[in-house]
Amino acid sequence: MVYNFNAGPSILPKEVFEQAAAAVLDFNNTGLSILELGHRTSAFQAVMDEARALVKELMQLDDDHEVLFLHGGASTQFMQVPMNLLDDKETAAYADTGVWGQKAVKEAKLFGKVEVVCTGKENNYTAIPKDFAVPNDATYFHITTNNTIYGSQWQKIPATSNRLIADMSSDIFSRVLNFNSFDLIYAGAQKNMGPAGVNLVVVNKNILGKIKRPIPTIMDYRNHITEGSMLNTPPVFAVYVCMLTLRWLKANGGIAAIEKLNDAKAALLYNEIDSNPLFKGTVAKEDRSKMNVCFVMDNAKLEEEFLAAAKAANIIGIKGHRLVGGFRASLYNALPVSSVQVLVNTMQTFAKSHA
Ligand SMILES: Cc1ncc(COP(=O)(O)O)c(C=O)c1O
């Protein structure tokens, strides 16, 4: 048994792996592998339809919000969003809450003006900025709801009259939000939704078609909507595994039920970090991420030793990102509470042996 705390690609439910493995050999008794199935077949059309319908149902989306599965990873959305929404004379507002937000800013500048309305840079992104204003005439306001590298998360989505765009790559489907209040949400699949190789895009169709720039066919969201997310060959296997993961989420009570478990996992680990004399959290308490828990040791010399102890306990993926150091434990939807308990036990045993 391995306890997988990887930041992404990351743990998915065991039954999803089993079903995906079976479909590689024989998809739904067709005698064909899912890997050799034409994307225009009725068998795959049913997969795409179910995947999109499950997103709509789980996120309780209204009829204005369209669901797309696109190629390119979340990084493609850093440019596809402004290419579709920001004219070159217009200004978009961005919150800089870490590496991913900065990358989104860099791409947006290729298409129009960008105003960074808040930044966590001065305190090395250990907190979510609180006092800032978004100009009324900003075409949209972009946030990164969960900062995978620094372990911070917007616990309350900022109220804004502007169109709201969110990179939800690392906390999609982890907590109940009013998803209809967002005009565009995007997320790489490889944390809470499925394997790497596909993006989820949820877009309010009413915000499209408002700019003058010609948009390449494959980059224009409207074409993907018209074609039912089948403008070209979709990443068939990745969409299939997302569909299986979404089925699993629905069968386990949906987002509200998984949020309770996510809260319990995060509380268990943060309580240990706060009470164990050897460890300390890196992020302001009110902004702590429930998906990526970042922590360090007072005595940095012990960190290698703790990593070795974790490895001996079959805990993998907790080495922190190089920008933060220390440790990062990712507690995505599919990670059971029992795995967090193993990590907590390992921290306690380590502390006792170094008392
Ligand atoms: C919040 C966030 N946005 C964007 C990305 C980039 O995703 P991709 O590698 O799919 O382009 C990541 C990757 O970890 C992420 O965590």
Side-chain angles (χ1 to χ4, degrees):
M1 173 86 182
V2 170
Y3 307 100
N4 180 3
F5 291 86
N6 277 334
S10 43
I11 187 168
L12 290 173
K14 188 160 181 282
E15 60 237 63
V16 167
F17 290 138
E18 285 162 356
Q19 290 160 13
V24 168
L25 297 176
D26 183 359
F27 175 69
N28 282 357
N29 300 318
T30 54
L32 290 173
S33 165
I34 180 81
L35 303 179
E36 60 180 342
L37 193 70
H39 64 290
R40 301 285 174 203
T41 56
S42 56
F44 182 71
Q45 185 66 56
V47 171
M48 181 58 97
D49 291 346
E50 185 174 343
R52 295 174 77 204
L54 280 165
V55 173
K56 277 216 135 181
E57 182 183 344
L58 289 161
M59 295 173 93
Q60 299 186 10
L61 296 173
D62 62 28
D63 290 341
D64 287 333
H65 284 77
E66 297 279 352
V67 177
L68 302 172
F69 284 95
L70 304 181
H71 293 269
S75 302
T76 302
Q77 295 308 310
F78 295 159
M79 63 93 175
Q80 196 168 354
V81 164
M83 184 188 275
N84 277 264
L85 301 179
L86 183 62
D87 253 332
D88 51 2
K89 301 258 173 339
E90 294 176 344
T91 301
Y94 276 72
D96 168 23
T97 53
V99 169
W100 301 112
Q102 285 159 20
K103 287 185 194 270
V105 165
K106 178 170 176 249
E107 300 306 298
K109 283 181 177 166
L110 297 171
F111 297 94
K113 290 184 234 154
V114 171
E115 184 170 334
V116 176
V117 293
C118 58
T119 176
K121 201 170 181 173
E122 308 87 66
N123 48 20
N124 197 30
Y125 301 105
T126 52
I128 295 288
K130 304 285 176 327
D131 295 319
F132 61 89
V134 180
N136 282 336
D137 60 350
T139 305
Y140 61 78
F141 177 39
H142 178 284
I143 62 171
T144 313
T145 50
N146 183 70
N147 299 286
T148 327
I149 291 176
Y150 294 96
S152 68
Q153 187 176 30
W154 294 84
Q155 294 307 336
K156 199 167 173 289
I157 302 300
T160 174
S161 57
N162 308 72
R163 292 173 186 155
L164 185 58
I165 313 283
D167 175 357
M168 284 195 196
S169 293
S170 50
D171 64 354
I172 189 96
F173 298 115
S174 71
R175 56 176 171 163
V176 175
L177 294 173
N178 176 7
F179 296 104
N180 290 311
S181 69
F182 295 84
D183 288 290
L184 193 147
I185 295 167
Y186 61 91
Q190 64 270 19
K191 290 132 186 354
N192 270 338
M193 197 169 38
V198 67
N199 272 330
L200 173 68
V201 173
V202 171
V203 57
N204 178 350
K205 60 187 174 205
N206 301 317
I207 68 170
L208 302 175
K210 308 278 192 231
I211 60 158
K212 294 187 208 81
R213 166 185 315 112
I215 304 171
T217 308
I218 196 73
M219 286 290 132
D220 191 329
Y221 294 121
R222 288 172 300 175
N223 297 330
H224 290 281
I225 293 172
T226 308
E227 297 301 324
S229 206
M230 294 265 248
L231 179 61
N232 67 329
T233 315
V236 169
F237 187 61
V239 172
Y240 178 64
V241 180
C242 287
M243 189 273 279
L244 294 175
T245 310
L246 295 167
R247 264 190 196 165
W248 167 87
L249 181 56
K250 182 179 169 184
N252 284 279
I255 300 180
I258 210 80
E259 181 175 16
K260 284 207 182 93
L261 289 175
N262 288 335
D263 285 351
K265 288 184 289 184
L268 181 60
L269 184 50
Y270 282 120
N271 283 343
E272 182 58 28
I273 291 167
D274 292 340
S275 57
N276 189 311
L278 296 187
F279 298 92
K280 63 174 186 221
T282 54
V283 170
K285 280 192 180 168
E286 69 276 15
D287 301 322
R288 284 171 161 180
S289 167
K290 291 178 179 162
M291 292 283 101
N292 310 100
V293 177
C294 291
F295 54 107
V296 293
M297 293 179 103
D298 271 330
N299 177 358
K301 289 195 193 113
L302 284 180
E303 287 184 350
E304 283 303 316
E305 209 184 310
F306 179 69
L307 265 187
K311 194 171 170 209
N314 286 331
I315 291 168
I316 67 142
I318 62 160
K319 192 169 168 50
H321 190 279
R322 68 196 139 72
L323 290 172
V324 182
F327 311 99
R328 170 178 55 176
S330 297
L331 315 181
Y332 296 125
N333 284 355
L335 186 86
V337 182
S338 54
S339 293
V340 184
Q341 190 61 57
V342 171
L343 174 57
V344 164
N345 294 348
T346 307
M347 291 163 76
Q348 288 173 352
T349 309
F350 191 81
K352 273 191 204 121
S353 67
H354 289 79

